[in-house]
Amino acid sequence: MRGRFVSKYLTLSLAAAVSTLLTGVVVPPAAAQTAHAPIPADINCSGMFTIEAVPRDTILVTGEQSIYQITYQEGDYIYLNRGAEQGVKAGDEFRVMRPAKFSPDNPWFSWQRALMRAMGTPWEDEGRIRVVVAQQKTSTAQVIESCSFMQRGDVAIPFAERPTPPLKDNQKFDRFAPASGKTLAMIVMGKWFNSMAGSNDVVYVNLGSAQGVKVGDYFRVFRYQDMHHEAVYQTYRQPFAIQGFGSVPHEFNWKTVPREVLGEGIVLRATPNSSTVLITFSLREIFAGDYVEIE
């Protein structure tokens, strides 16, 4: 009896699988995701690309327990190379940053290296420190907020609050929105040099304040079909012709079919040639090389 039940169950499962294949039903993409409102970690740990010079006269020299401790995080005490003689006093706060070094051996899309060079130097936000004692030529500060870890040689600049832009109602997101007609750009890289992003992730776009972008602006993210500039392998004309599963005339291509709107994001920081963007809504995965436009 049990054997016949198992056999019947397997037969039904196989039939369902075959039916699914023949009817073209596929597993749906990951559910759409909505971001939370920007929190201090989003604002203060977002990083940036910039062509502007960042002051490097104040640096982290070392810290307590330096014989064996090589990184510093929230709660640790560190030493700066500037003190009372340079105007530093107890209570002063600094933002700690580090220029990132990354050159993709295998770019995710065709123009990634060139766009990164045009955007400038990538800078990571490592956290915030507060001076507790100012000696004559050095200062002792405590790490009060960590983004990642701090290390010797990191740059410290006077801390200034960054604006927190309000989010709009994502219920009005239009996945079939027509082109805005505004300047196009690309998602060049994600935070920590990630190539894939979703809701609540930070990405960097090659459009900035020199092109009129400002904090609080929204970017719409979209993708053309069959562009073939990604590193991911794709069969030629795969969106339009699959052997055994139909094809269409060559007049149908990425220029003549609708684009695929993937999500949107809000600008957290804008430098001359780049914007730091928090993805606030995504229908599915967003990749470096996907396009954006100002809404």
Side-chain angles (χ1 to χ4, degrees), residues 60-290:
L60 189 160
V61 177
T62 188
E64 288 187 345
Q65 306 182 78
S66 60
I67 294 176
Y68 58 85
Q69 186 165 343
I70 58 176
T71 64
Y72 301 92
Q73 301 182 49
E74 193 165 324
D76 291 340
Y77 289 92
I78 57 92
Y79 307 135
L80 299 177
N81 67 326
R82 295 167 68 83
E85 288 185 0
Q86 292 78 32
V88 179
K89 60 185 183 301
D92 286 351
E93 293 188 0
F94 293 86
R95 187 184 306 278
V96 178
M97 304 174 66
R98 183 187 312 142
K101 297 179 180 179
F102 178 78
S103 179
D105 294 328
N106 298 296
W108 187 262
F109 62 96
S110 299
W111 315 287
Q112 190 174 36
R113 284 198 189 101
L115 293 180
M116 288 176 64
R117 287 194 296 269
M119 290 161 62
T121 301
W123 284 83
E124 297 175 359
D125 290 314
E126 308 302 347
R128 178 165 52 139
I129 61 176
R130 180 182 296 132
V131 175
V132 293
V133 179
Q135 295 86 16
Q136 287 300 108
K137 298 182 182 296
T138 59
S139 300
T140 301
Q142 185 176 30
V143 181
I144 59 174
E145 182 181 11
S146 291
C147 300
S148 177
F149 60 85
M150 299 178 190
Q151 64 186 25
R152 296 158 178 79
D154 283 350
V155 174
I157 63 173
F159 182 83
E161 292 286 352
R162 295 169 179 167
T164 303
L167 296 185
K168 67 179 184 179
D169 183 6
N170 59 60
Q171 296 299 318
K172 298 179 181 179
F173 174 78
D174 184 1
R175 68 185 297 170
F176 308 115
S180 69
K182 298 180 181 179
T183 305
L184 298 185
M186 301 184 87
I187 291 177
V188 178
M189 183 67 70
K191 184 179 175 182
W192 310 125
F193 301 108
N194 288 328
S195 295
M196 183 176 73
S199 296
N200 297 316
D201 289 333
V202 169
V203 297
Y204 306 113
V205 169
N206 65 314
L207 204 65
S209 56
Q211 295 80 39
V213 179
K214 59 185 182 300
V215 172
D217 283 346
Y218 264 83
F219 280 110
R220 181 179 294 116
V221 186
F222 62 94
R223 181 181 302 152
Y224 295 114
Q225 306 298 330
D226 207 38
M227 286 287 288
H228 292 285
H229 62 63
E230 305 96 337
V232 178
Y233 174 78
Q234 297 178 55
T235 303
Y236 175 66
R237 281 188 61 80
Q238 180 172 319
F240 305 104
I242 294 291
Q243 184 175 3
F245 290 91
S247 63
V248 298
H250 271 69
E251 66 189 74
F252 292 99
N253 53 50
W254 71 270
K255 297 179 181 179
T256 56
V257 299
R259 63 187 186 168
E260 180 182 357
V261 178
L262 303 170
E264 61 187 5
I266 191 169
V267 176
L268 300 180
R269 303 175 69 180
T271 60
N273 290 343
S274 175
S275 294
T276 300
V277 177
L278 174 70
I279 301 297
T280 58
F281 185 83
S282 61
L283 287 171
R284 55 185 57 85
E285 296 88 350
I286 292 171
F287 290 97
D290 284 333

Side-chain angles (χ1 to χ4, degrees), residues 19-32:
S19 175
T20 296
L21 176 63
L22 293 178
T23 56
V25 177
V26 297
V27 177

